[in-house]
Amino acid sequence: MDTQLKRGLLDVCVLAAIKGEDSYGYKIIKDLSPYIRLSESTLYTILKRLESAGMLTVRNVEHDGRLRKYYHITEAGLRRIEEFKVEWKEIFAIYQFITKEDNDNGEK
């Protein structure tokens, strides 16, 4: 898969994982695991990028004697999800065009 396309998809997946409630790294990975495999190093790179872009904020909370970072989606992050939904319609239309022959069972 194209690196830029995959990067954009992963960004939106992470935003969607924290859309309903603030979350932390391990839980985000766990919540995404039925849909996509994501390593911790990849996740934290994405989280830093999203924070820098203003799409999420971070707060530290003490948990079992350690600080845990909780991520909160911002209005910009919510807008990005909505933008993706519109973009996805175009991507899906392109996919349908590309696979049209497959769906026609090879008939032209």
Side-chain angles (χ1 to χ4, degrees):
M1 178 181 286
D2 177 70
T3 305
Q4 289 298 88
L5 178 59
K6 187 173 183 178
R7 180 176 148 178
L9 289 171
L10 291 175
D11 287 1
V12 174
C13 286
V14 170
L15 289 170
I18 63 173
K19 180 181 175 185
E21 65 179 341
D22 293 359
S23 194
Y24 54 94
Y26 177 77
K27 185 170 184 321
I28 294 169
I29 289 173
K30 185 178 169 192
D31 291 345
L32 289 176
S33 67
Y35 310 101
I36 192 164
R37 187 170 174 212
L38 196 62
S39 70
E40 284 185 42
S41 60
T42 299
L43 174 64
Y44 288 108
T45 299
I46 292 167
L47 290 168
K48 285 180 186 279
R49 182 171 56 243
L50 293 172
E51 181 184 9
S52 294
M55 293 188 200
L56 56 83
T57 58
V58 182
R59 65 183 166 85
N60 291 309
V61 175
E62 189 172 332
H63 178 77
D64 292 337
R66 296 178 43 198
L67 286 181
R68 177 183 279 172
K69 287 185 177 184
Y70 277 83
Y71 299 90
H72 175 80
I73 194 166
T74 64
E75 286 298 318
L78 292 171
R79 279 194 308 274
R80 178 63 194 113
I81 291 173
E82 293 307 311
E83 290 167 0
F84 174 79
K85 290 177 184 178
V86 172
E87 293 166 359
W88 181 250
K89 290 176 186 176
E90 183 179 347
I91 293 168
F92 187 68
I94 293 167
Y95 171 81
Q96 288 179 312
F97 173 75
I98 292 169
T99 60
K100 184 178 183 319
E101 282 185 16
D102 298 340
N103 294 334
D104 291 342
N105 295 321
E107 297 175 17
K108 293 184 182 182

